[in-house]
Amino acid sequence: DKLLQSTRADSVHAGINLPQAFTGEGVLIGITDWGFDYTHPVFLDNSLTNTRIRAAWDHYRQAGPAPAGFSYGTELTTMDELLAVGSDTANIYSYSTHGNHVAGIAGGTAVGTNSRGVAFGAQFLFNTFLVDAAAVIDAFTWMKSIADQDQKRLVVNMSWGLYHLGTLDGQSLISQAMDQMADDGVVFVTSAGN
């Protein structure tokens, strides 16, 4: 309940000393994580009738079509599909709520409360990823493809505590992919631990 004020995001929402107010409108927030509840009201629009989840790709689920260009996992692209599935697949981390927690901070709807995420006007791309560097790069590629198709800015979040996916010297395959996509305008946000 103090985040928006302490980061001054509330001033950005109001457009104070800016050419306009900014709320995340026109932005896709890609969350690479585990523990997504696609039915949670924090991912609905302000009317609480439409989802703001643009798409979800669950690498563990094998009960539907994979995204174009990929041969594994299941992509969900409609509200009906998301509601029918309900949540991502239990995996090595089992069911948890970490993905919801991260996405809610990034852009959750207030849902009748005073608390909402930083970019509450944004849409989401959720990726439940295999613990594998190539799968993570595939997730980034999938997100970038959708952002390009929709002509929207892309911010990719990685709130992980995983250090075994590559070196920490900026030379890993994931770091190289991030550098290349950053040159194309993708913003990457990563935690320093979980």
Side-chain angles (χ1 to χ4, degrees):
D1 62 349
K2 296 178 177 71
L3 171 71
L4 297 182
Q5 293 78 23
S6 64
T7 61
R8 300 207 175 159
D10 58 340
S11 298
V12 174
H13 296 161
I16 297 172
N17 296 323
L18 297 169
Q20 68 182 58
F22 294 95
T23 63
E25 188 83 25
V27 175
L28 289 169
I29 301 174
I31 308 286
T32 53
D33 214 307
W34 308 274
F36 296 109
D37 175 358
Y38 307 137
T39 69
H40 199 289
V42 77
F43 304 129
L44 295 174
D45 62 10
N46 288 329
S47 70
L48 303 180
T49 55
N50 298 303
T51 187
R52 290 186 302 120
I53 303 170
R54 166 63 176 82
W57 181 16
D58 185 339
H59 288 179
Y60 293 89
R61 186 178 302 281
Q62 302 300 320
F70 299 97
S71 61
Y72 64 99
T74 299
E75 181 183 42
L76 308 166
T77 59
T78 69
M79 186 167 176
D80 288 342
E81 290 173 338
L82 292 161
L83 293 176
V85 169
S87 65
D88 60 350
T89 305
N91 54 60
I92 60 171
Y93 292 96
S94 191
Y95 286 110
S96 67
T97 58
H98 193 263
N100 272 22
H101 168 87
V102 171
I105 291 170
T109 304
V111 193
T113 71
N114 292 327
S115 300
R116 62 183 174 190
V118 174
F120 58 88
Q123 286 184 295
F124 295 102
L125 295 170
F126 290 157
N127 175 248
T128 304
F129 66 96
L130 296 170
V131 184
D132 174 83
V136 172
I137 294 168
D138 284 352
F140 297 163
T141 302
W142 170 75
M143 291 175 179
K144 177 81 166 70
S145 174
I146 293 173
D148 289 348
Q149 175 187 324
D150 292 0
Q151 297 182 347
K152 292 187 174 182
R153 293 291 311 269
L154 175 62
V155 176
V156 177
N157 180 273
M158 301 160 291
S159 291
W160 321 328
L162 300 174
Y163 297 114
H164 57 278
L165 288 180
T167 61
L168 297 178
D169 62 1
Q171 300 303 311
S172 70
L173 291 177
I174 292 175
S175 295
Q176 292 177 49
M178 290 168 61
D179 286 344
Q180 182 178 2
M181 288 186 180
D183 287 344
D184 288 337
V186 177
V187 174
F188 288 91
V189 180
T190 189
S191 61
N194 213 6

